[in-house]
Amino acid sequence: MSVLKEKLTIDEQILHMQKLGIAFELYTEQKAKYFLANNNYFFKIKSYAKKLR
């Protein structure tokens, strides 16, 4: 049985990371938001999933 999690917005992802104790020392929150908005692995993962069918 698969349990789907709700997709978090970028602001919610940042908040979640802060709750987990992640400190934004190397990257500012703004840079982290930019990274999350512009970099994801969805298409790479999806292409592998198609190959495994």
Side-chain angles (χ1 to χ4, degrees):
M1 184 160 135
S2 178
V3 176
L4 298 176
K5 294 182 180 180
E6 267 190 52
K7 182 179 175 184
L8 300 176
T9 66
I10 292 171
D11 289 328
E12 291 170 335
Q13 289 177 48
I14 296 289
L15 221 121
H16 181 68
M17 287 186 257
Q18 289 172 330
K19 287 179 183 176
L20 292 174
I22 296 173
F24 294 93
E25 295 173 358
L26 297 176
Y27 284 89
T28 64
E29 284 184 42
Q30 291 296 61
K31 286 183 180 180
K33 286 180 185 183
Y34 179 84
F35 180 85
L36 291 170
N38 295 293
N39 298 283
N40 70 56
Y41 298 100
F42 176 79
F43 294 109
K44 290 180 184 178
I45 292 170
K46 202 63 176 164
S47 67
Y48 285 112
K50 286 182 180 180
K51 291 178 183 179
L52 295 174
R53 287 185 190 175

